[in-house]
Amino acid sequence: MSFLPVMLWSDALIWLLVLVALGLGWFSRRSPSLCRSWGRLGKNAVAMGAATVLCAFLLVGLLDSLHYRLRLPSAPGQQAEAIYSVEVLSVLDYLLKDLRDGHEKTYSAPFASRLYAKETLETPEGTVRDFPRLKYGGAHLKDESALMGDVMKRGLYGVFDALLVWMHAFIFLGIGVGINQRKNIHSLMDVWSSIKRKEILGRESRRAILRGETAIAWRGVLLALGGLLIVFLPLALLSGDYHVFGTDKVGQDVFYQILKSVRTALVIGLVTTLVTLPVAISLGILAGYFRGWVDDAIQYLYTTLSSIPGVLLIAASVLMMQVIIDTHPQWFSSAAERADLRLLALCFILGLTGWPSLCRLLRGETLKLRELEYIQAAQAFGVADLAILRRHILPNLMHIVIIALVMDFSGLVLAEAVLSYVGIGVDPTMISFGTMINSARMELSREPAVWWSLVSAFIFMFTLVLAANLLADAVRDAFDPRMG
């Protein structure tokens, strides 16, 4: 299979954020105060469980951020230059090929083998009104009465596999904790010798994990991992032959749409923060440190921006950007690039309208820091202002930046859902939680009601937002200077 790698702008920004996160971790190692804060966070079982759930969402988003275009087959006997499809796919699309290609005609309920609405069918007995069989969902069943038993059997197999994987993870984690606790292990040979003496494989390290006596709350990680495995492994086994969350109006699998929505939520939450942080940090520090007319100008700017209703400002900006996109179709070689530009435009608009709150916090903290004795001593010795900002002011503001980074994520995910619901969010061709909820809004008025799209999108978005909020609360407690 020949393909052409494609790098969308949002892909580049997501991977840039991954590098920034790694850089932040490296920077934290050089700061004793940040190391202590991260240590307090690591001992919080709830925070580690929430972080595990967020890592699962992040993995889905990263797999969906590796894009490519397939090469089209050449005509027989013709050796022309390579021509690639205009459809942009991702690694996640490749892994979910069965779900993506398993289109039905229209609505079908979860785990159903027939459509949700009756149609006129031609049978040997004549014309009848009945529910047609699905092309993919439950098509392997010769006897539809065995559907429930088949679902239960596959589900139990999935739960058994989940428990098996979890037990292996627990055992290897215990080995890792045991190795970390041993002071006399310096090589793989030392590890093998300890294993043969059954020192590492003993029960003490696993008991320490269950009692929460390790430096990192692995107990929370294991509980969250167990929950994820018990939910997703059965779904993975069942999704090959069933539509586990049903299908929508055009027959597309709802489970596939949910997994594709994860990347959109992550882009909105992370890229918007990437836009907000440089503006808020730079203006907040400058206003608090230099004061005077610089402070007055920056205060006037964010006060004026805050006085404009946010939804109206975002709506006007999105509509103007949409006009620019519609009048320049030659800018885009595929529909994915067009939708990606609108997504990035929404991120930049949310970022440029959401920085005043963080800027105000950083300004107030900088006003307090500049009056401390070591800052005044540096000024008296003639240290340059930029050096003071870089060495003394910025490191002491990082706890506020980290807290704001985590706490704003869930709000931005919800903001995308609301904006897409009212029609000023992401491109209609892009799958997101907001577009799914907007589409399901009309489906609830049907008779009988189509409820599964709305409920599925709500459950997954609720899980993502809840995990982000739990982690945000733990980060706030861990990085609060009053807790040190």
Side-chain angles (χ1 to χ4, degrees), residues 263-277:
R263 178 183 181 273
T264 306
L266 292 177
V267 171
I268 290 289
L270 298 177
V271 175
T272 302
T273 305
L274 184 65
V275 177
T276 302
L277 287 183

Side-chain angles (χ1 to χ4, degrees), residues 70-117:
L70 289 174
R71 181 176 178 176
L72 297 176
S74 304
Q78 182 180 3
Q79 294 184 351
E81 59 177 317
I83 300 177
Y84 296 91
S85 171
V86 296
E87 184 182 16
V88 178
L89 303 175
S90 68
V91 174
L92 185 67
D93 290 318
Y94 177 77
L95 296 176
L96 303 177
K97 187 177 185 301
D98 292 338
L99 293 180
R100 183 171 62 89
D101 296 339
H103 273 264
E104 306 294 348
K105 188 174 181 180
T106 183
Y107 298 111
S108 66
F111 299 107
S113 61
R114 292 181 176 269
L115 289 179
Y116 198 59

Side-chain angles (χ1 to χ4, degrees), residues 322-359:
Q322 187 60 40
V323 171
I324 296 175
I325 293 175
D326 292 339
T327 54
H328 297 84
Q330 69 277 8
W331 290 354
F332 316 104
S333 60
S334 63
E337 293 182 2
R338 174 191 174 97
D340 187 68
L341 180 60
R342 176 161 173 172
L343 176 63
L344 288 183
L346 180 62
C347 293
F348 275 87
I349 292 167
L350 289 173
L352 293 177
T353 56
W355 62 267
S357 58
L358 179 57
C359 178

Side-chain angles (χ1 to χ4, degrees), residues 172-182 200 205 208-209 214 218:
F172 283 110
L173 182 60
I175 293 175
V177 172
I179 292 174
N180 188 55
Q181 291 175 346
R182 299 285 177 177
I200 296 177
S205 58
I209 292 174
T214 53
W218 294 113

Side-chain angles (χ1 to χ4, degrees), residues 2 6 30 32 59 158 189 233 238 292 352 364 369 384 471:
S2 179
V6 175
R30 302 176 57 188
L59 177 61
M189 293 301 298
L233 276 184
L238 288 165
L352 293 177
L369 290 174
L471 183 61

Side-chain angles (χ1 to χ4, degrees), residues 183-305:
K183 303 298 183 182
N184 59 343
I185 294 179
H186 305 287
S187 65
L188 291 176
M189 293 301 298
D190 296 335
V191 173
W192 179 245
S193 300
S194 298
I195 290 176
K196 289 195 295 185
R197 294 194 303 268
K198 297 184 179 180
E199 294 178 353
I200 296 177
L201 293 177
R203 299 178 180 177
E204 292 302 321
S205 58
R206 291 192 289 273
R207 286 178 178 175
I209 292 174
L210 295 177
R211 290 194 298 260
E213 297 175 353
T214 53
I216 297 176
W218 294 113
R219 178 175 56 181
V221 175
L222 286 172
L223 288 175
L225 179 63
L228 290 172
L229 290 173
I230 288 176
V231 171
F232 283 99
L233 276 184
L235 289 178
L237 290 177
L238 288 165
S239 61
D241 292 306
Y242 296 97
H243 301 292
V244 292
F245 292 125
T247 55
D248 62 359
K249 185 176 182 179
V250 297
Q252 191 173 40
D253 191 272
V254 173
F255 188 33
Y256 171 76
Q257 294 182 24
I258 288 172
L259 295 177
K260 292 290 289 183
S261 300
V262 171
R263 178 183 181 273
T264 306
L266 292 177
V267 171
I268 290 289
L270 298 177
V271 175
T272 302
T273 305
L274 184 65
V275 177
T276 302
L277 287 183
V279 179
I281 292 175
S282 58
L283 294 182
I285 292 178
L286 292 177
Y289 183 80
F290 289 104
R291 299 186 297 185
W293 67 269
V294 176
D295 187 20
D296 294 338
I298 295 175
Q299 280 194 77
Y300 180 80
L301 178 61
Y302 68 64
T303 302
T304 303
L305 190 60

Side-chain angles (χ1 to χ4, degrees), residues 38 41-54 216-222 224 471 474:
W38 285 116
L41 183 66
K43 293 179 180 179
N44 190 322
V46 175
M48 296 306 295
T52 303
V53 175
L54 290 177
I216 297 176
W218 294 113
R219 178 175 56 181
V221 175
L222 286 172
L471 183 61

